[in-house]
Short mmCIF file of all heavy atoms in Angstrom, two decimals:
data_model
loop_
_atom_site.label_atom_id
_atom_site.label_comp_id
_atom_site.label_asym_id
_atom_site.label_seq_id
_atom_site.Cartn_x
_atom_site.Cartn_y
_atom_site.Cartn_z
N ARG C 17 5.02 10.66 -0.10
CA ARG C 17 4.13 10.25 -1.18
C ARG C 17 3.70 8.82 -0.94
O ARG C 17 4.54 7.94 -0.71
CB ARG C 17 4.87 10.35 -2.52
CG ARG C 17 3.99 10.17 -3.74
CD ARG C 17 4.80 10.26 -5.01
NE ARG C 17 3.93 10.31 -6.19
CZ ARG C 17 4.37 10.20 -7.44
NH1 ARG C 17 5.67 10.03 -7.67
NH2 ARG C 17 3.52 10.26 -8.45
N THR C 18 2.41 8.56 -0.99
CA THR C 18 1.95 7.19 -0.80
C THR C 18 2.30 6.35 -2.02
O THR C 18 2.51 6.88 -3.11
CB THR C 18 0.43 7.14 -0.58
OG1 THR C 18 -0.23 7.60 -1.76
CG2 THR C 18 0.01 7.98 0.62
N TYR C 19 2.31 5.05 -1.83
CA TYR C 19 2.57 4.15 -2.96
C TYR C 19 1.42 4.20 -3.96
O TYR C 19 1.64 4.08 -5.16
CB TYR C 19 2.80 2.72 -2.46
CG TYR C 19 4.13 2.54 -1.77
CD1 TYR C 19 4.23 2.47 -0.39
CD2 TYR C 19 5.31 2.46 -2.51
CE1 TYR C 19 5.45 2.31 0.25
CE2 TYR C 19 6.54 2.30 -1.89
CZ TYR C 19 6.60 2.23 -0.52
OH TYR C 19 7.82 2.08 0.11
N ALA C 20 0.19 4.39 -3.46
CA ALA C 20 -0.95 4.51 -4.36
C ALA C 20 -0.78 5.71 -5.28
O ALA C 20 -1.00 5.62 -6.50
CB ALA C 20 -2.24 4.62 -3.56
N ASP C 21 -0.38 6.82 -4.72
CA ASP C 21 -0.16 8.03 -5.53
C ASP C 21 0.93 7.80 -6.56
O ASP C 21 0.79 8.19 -7.73
CB ASP C 21 0.20 9.20 -4.61
CG ASP C 21 0.39 10.50 -5.38
OD1 ASP C 21 -0.56 10.92 -6.07
OD2 ASP C 21 1.49 11.08 -5.31
N GLU C 22 2.01 7.15 -6.15
CA GLU C 22 3.10 6.86 -7.08
C GLU C 22 2.63 5.97 -8.23
O GLU C 22 3.09 6.09 -9.37
CB GLU C 22 4.25 6.19 -6.34
CG GLU C 22 5.49 5.99 -7.19
CD GLU C 22 6.63 5.32 -6.44
OE1 GLU C 22 6.53 5.14 -5.21
OE2 GLU C 22 7.63 4.95 -7.10
N ALA C 23 1.69 5.08 -7.93
CA ALA C 23 1.17 4.16 -8.95
C ALA C 23 0.07 4.80 -9.80
O ALA C 23 -0.48 4.14 -10.69
CB ALA C 23 0.63 2.90 -8.29
N ILE C 25 -2.84 5.89 -8.68
CA ILE C 25 -4.17 5.54 -8.17
C ILE C 25 -4.73 6.73 -7.40
O ILE C 25 -4.16 7.15 -6.39
CB ILE C 25 -4.10 4.31 -7.24
CG1 ILE C 25 -3.51 3.10 -7.97
CG2 ILE C 25 -5.48 3.98 -6.67
CD1 ILE C 25 -3.17 1.93 -7.06
N GLN C 36 -7.58 -1.42 -7.09
CA GLN C 36 -6.23 -1.14 -7.59
C GLN C 36 -5.22 -1.10 -6.45
O GLN C 36 -4.09 -1.57 -6.60
CB GLN C 36 -6.24 0.18 -8.35
CG GLN C 36 -6.95 0.13 -9.69
CD GLN C 36 -6.98 1.49 -10.36
OE1 GLN C 36 -7.70 2.40 -9.96
NE2 GLN C 36 -6.18 1.64 -11.40
N LEU C 37 -5.63 -0.55 -5.31
CA LEU C 37 -4.75 -0.54 -4.14
C LEU C 37 -4.48 -1.96 -3.66
O LEU C 37 -3.35 -2.29 -3.29
CB LEU C 37 -5.36 0.29 -3.01
CG LEU C 37 -4.60 0.27 -1.69
CD1 LEU C 37 -3.18 0.82 -1.85
CD2 LEU C 37 -5.36 1.06 -0.62
N LEU C 38 -5.50 -2.80 -3.67
CA LEU C 38 -5.32 -4.19 -3.26
C LEU C 38 -4.32 -4.90 -4.17
O LEU C 38 -3.42 -5.61 -3.70
CB LEU C 38 -6.65 -4.92 -3.29
CG LEU C 38 -6.60 -6.38 -2.82
CD1 LEU C 38 -6.38 -6.45 -1.31
CD2 LEU C 38 -7.88 -7.12 -3.20
N VAL C 39 -4.47 -4.71 -5.48
CA VAL C 39 -3.54 -5.32 -6.44
C VAL C 39 -2.12 -4.81 -6.19
O VAL C 39 -1.16 -5.59 -6.17
CB VAL C 39 -3.98 -5.04 -7.88
CG1 VAL C 39 -2.88 -5.44 -8.87
CG2 VAL C 39 -5.27 -5.80 -8.20
N LEU C 40 -1.98 -3.51 -6.01
CA LEU C 40 -0.66 -2.93 -5.72
C LEU C 40 -0.07 -3.56 -4.46
O LEU C 40 1.13 -3.90 -4.42
CB LEU C 40 -0.78 -1.42 -5.56
CG LEU C 40 0.49 -0.68 -5.13
CD1 LEU C 40 1.60 -0.84 -6.15
CD2 LEU C 40 0.19 0.80 -4.89
N SER C 41 -0.89 -3.74 -3.44
CA SER C 41 -0.42 -4.34 -2.20
C SER C 41 0.02 -5.78 -2.41
O SER C 41 1.01 -6.23 -1.82
CB SER C 41 -1.52 -4.28 -1.13
OG SER C 41 -1.90 -2.93 -0.88
N CYS C 42 -0.69 -6.51 -3.27
CA CYS C 42 -0.27 -7.87 -3.61
C CYS C 42 1.08 -7.86 -4.31
O CYS C 42 1.96 -8.67 -4.00
CB CYS C 42 -1.31 -8.53 -4.51
SG CYS C 42 -2.86 -8.97 -3.70
N LEU C 43 1.26 -6.94 -5.24
CA LEU C 43 2.52 -6.85 -5.98
C LEU C 43 3.68 -6.49 -5.05
O LEU C 43 4.79 -7.00 -5.21
CB LEU C 43 2.39 -5.81 -7.09
CG LEU C 43 1.36 -6.10 -8.18
CD1 LEU C 43 1.24 -4.92 -9.13
CD2 LEU C 43 1.71 -7.36 -8.95
N LEU C 44 3.40 -5.63 -4.09
CA LEU C 44 4.44 -5.21 -3.14
C LEU C 44 4.73 -6.30 -2.10
O LEU C 44 5.72 -6.20 -1.38
CB LEU C 44 4.02 -3.92 -2.43
CG LEU C 44 4.09 -2.65 -3.27
CD1 LEU C 44 3.30 -1.52 -2.62
CD2 LEU C 44 5.54 -2.21 -3.48
N SER C 45 3.88 -7.33 -2.03
CA SER C 45 4.09 -8.41 -1.07
C SER C 45 5.30 -9.27 -1.42
O SER C 45 5.91 -9.90 -0.55
CB SER C 45 2.86 -9.31 -1.00
OG SER C 45 1.78 -8.67 -0.36
N ALA C 46 5.62 -9.33 -2.72
CA ALA C 46 6.74 -10.16 -3.16
C ALA C 46 8.07 -9.50 -2.83
O ALA C 46 8.14 -8.28 -2.60
CB ALA C 46 6.64 -10.41 -4.67
N ARG C 47 9.11 -10.31 -2.81
CA ARG C 47 10.46 -9.76 -2.55
C ARG C 47 10.99 -9.16 -3.85
O ARG C 47 11.79 -9.78 -4.58
CB ARG C 47 11.38 -10.86 -2.03
CG ARG C 47 10.98 -11.37 -0.67
CD ARG C 47 11.96 -12.39 -0.14
NE ARG C 47 11.61 -12.84 1.20
CZ ARG C 47 12.31 -13.72 1.91
NH1 ARG C 47 13.41 -14.25 1.38
NH2 ARG C 47 11.93 -14.08 3.12
N ILE C 48 10.53 -7.96 -4.11
CA ILE C 48 10.88 -7.28 -5.35
C ILE C 48 10.93 -5.79 -5.06
O ILE C 48 10.29 -5.31 -4.11
CB ILE C 48 9.83 -7.60 -6.45
CG1 ILE C 48 10.40 -7.34 -7.84
CG2 ILE C 48 8.53 -6.87 -6.20
CD1 ILE C 48 9.59 -7.98 -8.96
N GLN C 49 11.70 -5.05 -5.83
CA GLN C 49 11.82 -3.62 -5.59
C GLN C 49 10.47 -2.93 -5.71
O GLN C 49 9.67 -3.23 -6.60
CB GLN C 49 12.80 -2.99 -6.58
CG GLN C 49 14.24 -3.43 -6.39
CD GLN C 49 15.15 -2.77 -7.42
OE1 GLN C 49 14.74 -1.93 -8.21
NE2 GLN C 49 16.41 -3.16 -7.40
N ALA C 50 10.23 -2.00 -4.79
CA ALA C 50 8.94 -1.30 -4.78
C ALA C 50 8.68 -0.60 -6.11
O ALA C 50 7.54 -0.58 -6.60
CB ALA C 50 8.91 -0.29 -3.63
N GLY C 51 9.72 -0.04 -6.71
CA GLY C 51 9.55 0.65 -7.98
C GLY C 51 9.04 -0.26 -9.08
O GLY C 51 8.25 0.16 -9.95
N ILE C 52 9.46 -1.52 -9.06
CA ILE C 52 9.01 -2.49 -10.06
C ILE C 52 7.54 -2.84 -9.81
O ILE C 52 6.74 -2.94 -10.75
CB ILE C 52 9.88 -3.75 -10.03
CG1 ILE C 52 11.31 -3.40 -10.49
CG2 ILE C 52 9.29 -4.85 -10.91
CD1 ILE C 52 12.29 -4.56 -10.39
N ALA C 53 7.17 -3.01 -8.54
CA ALA C 53 5.78 -3.31 -8.21
C ALA C 53 4.87 -2.16 -8.63
O ALA C 53 3.78 -2.38 -9.17
CB ALA C 53 5.65 -3.57 -6.72
N VAL C 54 5.32 -0.94 -8.41
CA VAL C 54 4.54 0.24 -8.82
C VAL C 54 4.39 0.29 -10.34
O VAL C 54 3.30 0.54 -10.87
CB VAL C 54 5.19 1.52 -8.28
CG1 VAL C 54 4.59 2.76 -8.95
CG2 VAL C 54 5.02 1.61 -6.77
N ALA C 55 5.48 0.01 -11.05
CA ALA C 55 5.44 0.01 -12.52
C ALA C 55 4.49 -1.08 -13.03
O ALA C 55 3.75 -0.87 -14.00
CB ALA C 55 6.84 -0.19 -13.09
N ALA C 56 4.49 -2.23 -12.38
CA ALA C 56 3.60 -3.32 -12.77
C ALA C 56 2.15 -2.94 -12.52
O ALA C 56 1.26 -3.27 -13.33
CB ALA C 56 3.96 -4.60 -12.02
N SER C 57 1.90 -2.26 -11.42
CA SER C 57 0.53 -1.79 -11.14
C SER C 57 0.06 -0.84 -12.24
O SER C 57 -1.08 -0.94 -12.72
CB SER C 57 0.50 -1.07 -9.78
OG SER C 57 -0.74 -0.44 -9.56
N LEU C 60 -0.74 -2.89 -15.40
CA LEU C 60 -2.03 -3.58 -15.30
C LEU C 60 -3.18 -2.61 -15.56
O LEU C 60 -4.15 -2.95 -16.25
CB LEU C 60 -2.18 -4.24 -13.93
CG LEU C 60 -1.31 -5.48 -13.68
CD1 LEU C 60 -1.27 -5.81 -12.20
CD2 LEU C 60 -1.83 -6.69 -14.47
N LEU C 83 2.17 -7.71 -16.56
CA LEU C 83 3.17 -7.73 -15.50
C LEU C 83 4.57 -7.61 -16.09
O LEU C 83 5.43 -6.88 -15.57
CB LEU C 83 3.05 -9.01 -14.67
CG LEU C 83 1.80 -9.11 -13.79
CD1 LEU C 83 1.62 -10.54 -13.29
CD2 LEU C 83 1.90 -8.15 -12.61
N TYR C 88 7.87 -6.82 -14.00
CA TYR C 88 7.61 -7.74 -12.90
C TYR C 88 7.77 -9.17 -13.40
O TYR C 88 6.81 -9.94 -13.47
CB TYR C 88 6.18 -7.50 -12.40
CG TYR C 88 5.89 -7.94 -10.98
CD1 TYR C 88 6.09 -7.07 -9.91
CD2 TYR C 88 5.36 -9.19 -10.70
CE1 TYR C 88 5.78 -7.45 -8.62
CE2 TYR C 88 5.05 -9.58 -9.41
CZ TYR C 88 5.26 -8.70 -8.38
OH TYR C 88 4.95 -9.07 -7.08
N TYR C 91 8.28 -12.95 -10.83
CA TYR C 91 7.11 -13.60 -10.23
C TYR C 91 5.89 -13.51 -11.13
O TYR C 91 4.76 -13.69 -10.67
CB TYR C 91 6.78 -12.93 -8.88
CG TYR C 91 7.90 -12.96 -7.87
CD1 TYR C 91 8.70 -11.85 -7.67
CD2 TYR C 91 8.16 -14.11 -7.12
CE1 TYR C 91 9.73 -11.86 -6.73
CE2 TYR C 91 9.18 -14.14 -6.19
CZ TYR C 91 9.97 -13.01 -5.99
OH TYR C 91 10.99 -13.03 -5.07
N ARG C 94 3.34 -16.80 -11.50
CA ARG C 94 2.62 -17.10 -10.26
C ARG C 94 1.66 -15.97 -9.91
O ARG C 94 0.51 -16.21 -9.51
CB ARG C 94 3.62 -17.31 -9.12
CG ARG C 94 2.96 -17.69 -7.79
CD ARG C 94 3.98 -17.82 -6.67
NE ARG C 94 4.53 -16.52 -6.30
CZ ARG C 94 5.49 -16.36 -5.38
NH1 ARG C 94 6.03 -17.43 -4.81
NH2 ARG C 94 5.93 -15.18 -5.08
N THR C 95 2.12 -14.74 -10.05
CA THR C 95 1.29 -13.60 -9.71
C THR C 95 0.08 -13.47 -10.63
O THR C 95 -1.01 -13.11 -10.20
CB THR C 95 2.13 -12.30 -9.74
OG1 THR C 95 3.21 -12.43 -8.82
CG2 THR C 95 1.29 -11.10 -9.36
N GLN C 98 -2.41 -15.77 -9.23
CA GLN C 98 -2.96 -15.26 -7.97
C GLN C 98 -3.93 -14.11 -8.21
O GLN C 98 -4.97 -14.02 -7.54
CB GLN C 98 -1.82 -14.82 -7.05
CG GLN C 98 -0.99 -15.98 -6.52
CD GLN C 98 0.25 -15.53 -5.78
OE1 GLN C 98 0.76 -14.43 -6.01
NE2 GLN C 98 0.74 -16.38 -4.89
N LEU C 99 -3.61 -13.24 -9.15
CA LEU C 99 -4.50 -12.11 -9.43
C LEU C 99 -5.84 -12.60 -9.97
O LEU C 99 -6.90 -12.07 -9.62
CB LEU C 99 -3.84 -11.14 -10.41
CG LEU C 99 -2.66 -10.33 -9.86
CD1 LEU C 99 -2.03 -9.51 -10.98
CD2 LEU C 99 -3.12 -9.42 -8.73
N PRO C 136 -5.46 -14.41 -2.39
CA PRO C 136 -4.22 -15.06 -2.85
C PRO C 136 -3.13 -14.04 -3.17
O PRO C 136 -3.38 -13.03 -3.82
CB PRO C 136 -4.66 -15.80 -4.12
CG PRO C 136 -6.13 -16.04 -3.93
CD PRO C 136 -6.63 -14.82 -3.19
N GLY C 137 -1.93 -14.32 -2.66
CA GLY C 137 -0.79 -13.45 -2.96
C GLY C 137 -0.63 -12.27 -2.04
O GLY C 137 0.36 -11.53 -2.14
N LEU C 138 -1.58 -12.06 -1.14
CA LEU C 138 -1.49 -10.92 -0.22
C LEU C 138 -0.97 -11.42 1.13
O LEU C 138 -1.72 -11.98 1.93
CB LEU C 138 -2.86 -10.26 -0.05
CG LEU C 138 -2.86 -8.94 0.74
CD1 LEU C 138 -2.10 -7.86 -0.02
CD2 LEU C 138 -4.29 -8.47 0.99
N GLY C 139 0.32 -11.22 1.36
CA GLY C 139 0.94 -11.66 2.60
C GLY C 139 0.84 -10.61 3.68
O GLY C 139 0.26 -9.53 3.49
N PRO C 140 1.41 -10.88 4.85
CA PRO C 140 1.35 -9.94 5.97
C PRO C 140 1.88 -8.55 5.62
O PRO C 140 1.29 -7.54 6.02
CB PRO C 140 2.22 -10.62 7.05
CG PRO C 140 2.10 -12.08 6.73
CD PRO C 140 2.05 -12.16 5.24
N ALA C 141 2.98 -8.49 4.89
CA ALA C 141 3.53 -7.18 4.51
C ALA C 141 2.56 -6.44 3.59
O ALA C 141 2.36 -5.22 3.72
CB ALA C 141 4.88 -7.35 3.82
N GLY C 142 1.95 -7.17 2.66
CA GLY C 142 0.99 -6.55 1.75
C GLY C 142 -0.24 -6.05 2.48
O GLY C 142 -0.79 -5.00 2.14
N ILE C 143 -0.68 -6.80 3.49
CA ILE C 143 -1.82 -6.36 4.29
C ILE C 143 -1.48 -5.08 5.02
O ILE C 143 -2.29 -4.14 5.08
CB ILE C 143 -2.24 -7.47 5.28
CG1 ILE C 143 -2.83 -8.65 4.51
CG2 ILE C 143 -3.25 -6.94 6.29
CD1 ILE C 143 -3.09 -9.88 5.37
N ASP C 144 -0.27 -5.01 5.59
CA ASP C 144 0.16 -3.78 6.27
C ASP C 144 0.14 -2.60 5.29
O ASP C 144 -0.30 -1.50 5.65
CB ASP C 144 1.57 -3.95 6.84
CG ASP C 144 1.60 -4.84 8.08
OD1 ASP C 144 0.54 -5.01 8.71
OD2 ASP C 144 2.69 -5.35 8.41
N ILE C 145 0.62 -2.81 4.08
CA ILE C 145 0.63 -1.75 3.08
C ILE C 145 -0.79 -1.30 2.77
O ILE C 145 -1.09 -0.10 2.75
CB ILE C 145 1.34 -2.23 1.80
CG1 ILE C 145 2.83 -2.44 2.05
CG2 ILE C 145 1.13 -1.21 0.65
CD1 ILE C 145 3.53 -3.25 0.97
N PHE C 146 -1.68 -2.26 2.54
CA PHE C 146 -3.06 -1.91 2.21
C PHE C 146 -3.69 -1.09 3.33
O PHE C 146 -4.32 -0.05 3.07
CB PHE C 146 -3.89 -3.18 1.97
CG PHE C 146 -5.31 -2.89 1.61
CD1 PHE C 146 -5.68 -2.64 0.30
CD2 PHE C 146 -6.30 -2.84 2.60
CE1 PHE C 146 -7.00 -2.34 -0.04
CE2 PHE C 146 -7.61 -2.55 2.28
CZ PHE C 146 -7.96 -2.30 0.96
N LEU C 147 -3.52 -1.52 4.57
CA LEU C 147 -4.13 -0.81 5.69
C LEU C 147 -3.52 0.57 5.89
O LEU C 147 -4.25 1.54 6.19
CB LEU C 147 -4.00 -1.64 6.97
CG LEU C 147 -4.73 -2.99 6.97
CD1 LEU C 147 -4.43 -3.74 8.26
CD2 LEU C 147 -6.23 -2.82 6.79
N ARG C 148 -2.21 0.69 5.73
CA ARG C 148 -1.57 2.01 5.86
C ARG C 148 -2.13 2.98 4.84
O ARG C 148 -2.37 4.15 5.14
CB ARG C 148 -0.05 1.88 5.67
CG ARG C 148 0.71 1.36 6.86
CD ARG C 148 2.18 1.67 6.76
NE ARG C 148 2.81 1.14 5.57
CZ ARG C 148 3.47 -0.02 5.51
NH1 ARG C 148 3.55 -0.78 6.58
NH2 ARG C 148 4.04 -0.42 4.39
N GLU C 149 -2.31 2.51 3.61
CA GLU C 149 -2.75 3.41 2.54
C GLU C 149 -4.26 3.63 2.58
O GLU C 149 -4.74 4.73 2.32
CB GLU C 149 -2.31 2.85 1.19
CG GLU C 149 -0.82 2.59 1.08
CD GLU C 149 -0.07 3.59 0.22
OE1 GLU C 149 -0.66 4.10 -0.73
OE2 GLU C 149 1.11 3.84 0.52
N LYS C 164 6.74 -1.20 10.86
CA LYS C 164 7.67 -0.78 9.82
C LYS C 164 7.79 0.74 9.80
O LYS C 164 8.90 1.28 9.64
CB LYS C 164 7.20 -1.27 8.45
CG LYS C 164 8.26 -1.19 7.36
CD LYS C 164 9.40 -2.15 7.64
CE LYS C 164 10.42 -2.17 6.52
NZ LYS C 164 11.53 -3.10 6.81
N ALA C 198 3.64 6.31 4.97
CA ALA C 198 4.39 5.95 3.76
C ALA C 198 5.80 6.52 3.79
O ALA C 198 6.77 5.85 3.42
CB ALA C 198 3.65 6.42 2.52
N VAL C 201 7.96 4.52 6.19
CA VAL C 201 8.32 3.20 5.64
C VAL C 201 9.41 3.37 4.59
O VAL C 201 10.38 2.59 4.54
CB VAL C 201 7.09 2.52 5.04
CG1 VAL C 201 7.48 1.29 4.23
CG2 VAL C 201 6.13 2.11 6.15
N ARG C 202 9.29 4.37 3.75
CA ARG C 202 10.32 4.60 2.74
C ARG C 202 11.66 4.91 3.40
O ARG C 202 12.72 4.46 2.94
CB ARG C 202 9.91 5.76 1.82
CG ARG C 202 8.72 5.42 0.89
CD ARG C 202 8.35 6.66 0.07
NE ARG C 202 7.14 6.49 -0.69
CZ ARG C 202 7.06 5.98 -1.92
NH1 ARG C 202 8.16 5.54 -2.51
NH2 ARG C 202 5.90 5.90 -2.56
N LEU C 205 13.43 1.87 4.57
CA LEU C 205 14.02 1.09 3.48
C LEU C 205 15.23 1.76 2.84
O LEU C 205 15.87 1.19 1.96
CB LEU C 205 12.96 0.82 2.41
CG LEU C 205 11.74 0.01 2.87
CD1 LEU C 205 10.68 -0.02 1.77
CD2 LEU C 205 12.14 -1.40 3.26
#
Side-chain angles (χ1 to χ4, degrees):
R17 190 181 189 189
T18 64
Y19 287 103
D21 182 58
E22 186 180 352
I25 301 169
Q36 289 177 287
L37 174 60
L38 182 71
V39 169
L40 174 62
S41 300
C42 289
L43 297 174
L44 286 164
S45 289
R47 293 184 177 181
I48 200 164
Q49 292 180 5
I52 294 175
V54 167
S57 172
L60 288 165
L83 290 166
Y88 203 89
Y91 302 100
R94 183 183 70 183
T95 301
Q98 290 172 336
L99 290 175
L138 188 65
I143 292 172
D144 286 340
I145 292 165
F146 181 86
L147 296 176
R148 282 198 302 264
E149 304 254 329
K164 195 67 176 179
V201 169
R202 291 177 188 273
L205 298 172

